[in-house]
Amino acid sequence: MEHLIETYGYVAVLIGTFFEGETVAILGGFAAHQGHLRYSLVVLTAFVGSVLGDQSAYFLGRRYGRSFVDRRPKLGPHIARATSLLERHPVLFMFGFRFLYGLRNVAPVAIALSRISMARFLVLNVMSAALWAVIVTGLGYLFGQAVEAAWGKLHAWDERLAMGAVLAAISVFGFNLLRERVQRRQRASRGR
């Protein structure tokens, strides 16, 4: 297990933070506390994955515009909420959207639809992602310290807990990805 974490841990953090983030970044911080990964590299990897994910979502919103959202009806209410917040507090929203549950993945699309420039979004996205990566991976690291302080060293159990958490995160991600593909195919077959 340790070998897998040490070999693929940074890749998992990069991919996980590209698509979602919090759970994977926390697990990365926990793995850093356990000595399987370097904390500074986990923070850097979480930062890079988060920035790349949000810039990609911004690009999709900019490139495909409103039709991107219209083809995904479930995004509608989230985009509307994000747009409302963006109109009231543009800078604060662009800086803090990743800390707002339920808006992290749709906010860059809403920002792109608002015609805010990519350069402006990039600057705020980079600053926000840096703060987010330190805070969230730090929570994972502190969680590791709290577990260790409360129950002592859990050599046999920490690997099982980490493996279970990683498997759960991968399962949820895989299930959501599969469900989205099935729904796309069903929508496409209805449209024919």
Side-chain angles (χ1 to χ4, degrees):
M1 178 63 183
E2 289 176 15
H3 176 70
L4 285 173
I5 293 172
E6 290 167 1
T7 303
Y8 300 108
Y10 299 113
V11 173
V13 170
L14 181 71
I15 293 169
T17 55
F18 181 91
F19 289 106
E20 181 58 40
E22 288 79 12
T23 303
V24 176
I26 288 171
L27 288 172
F30 182 78
H33 178 269
Q34 298 301 307
H36 302 301
L37 301 173
R38 285 185 43 205
Y39 178 73
S40 59
L41 291 178
V42 172
V43 171
L44 179 63
T45 306
F47 163 74
V48 169
S50 184
V51 168
L52 291 176
D54 294 333
Q55 289 303 130
S56 297
Y58 178 93
F59 175 76
L60 287 173
R62 182 61 62 140
R63 174 82 170 93
Y64 298 104
R66 195 79 204 154
S67 66
F68 177 81
V69 175
D70 292 342
R71 287 182 300 215
R72 292 156 183 83
K74 287 184 178 181
L75 292 181
H78 300 291
I79 293 288
R81 182 173 169 222
T83 301
S84 173
L85 289 169
L86 179 63
E87 288 171 352
R88 286 184 281 158
H89 311 284
V91 173
L92 184 60
F93 179 76
M94 284 189 291
F95 186 80
F97 71 84
R98 74 184 71 254
F99 296 98
L100 300 174
Y101 182 76
L103 291 180
R104 175 160 185 237
N105 291 331
V106 298
V109 175
I111 293 166
L113 293 173
S114 74
R115 301 296 181 208
I116 289 174
S117 74
M118 184 178 289
R120 184 174 182 201
F121 175 65
L122 177 63
V123 168
L124 289 168
N125 189 30
V126 165
M127 291 185 332
S128 176
L131 180 64
W132 174 87
V134 169
I135 289 172
V136 176
T137 56
L139 288 173
Y141 194 90
L142 291 173
F143 175 73
Q145 284 182 326
V147 167
E148 194 171 275
W151 291 292
K153 295 204 182 248
L154 301 171
H155 292 293
W157 283 99
D158 65 347
E159 289 181 9
R160 293 179 189 141
L161 289 172
M163 179 59 127
V166 167
L167 289 174
I170 291 170
S171 297
V172 168
F173 176 74
F175 175 77
N176 287 336
L177 189 64
L178 182 63
R179 183 179 61 186
E180 178 66 27
R181 284 186 181 170
V182 168
Q183 289 173 346
R184 265 190 262 134
R185 286 184 184 149
Q186 289 174 344
R187 285 191 299 266
S189 67
R190 281 187 234 138
R192 291 182 189 168

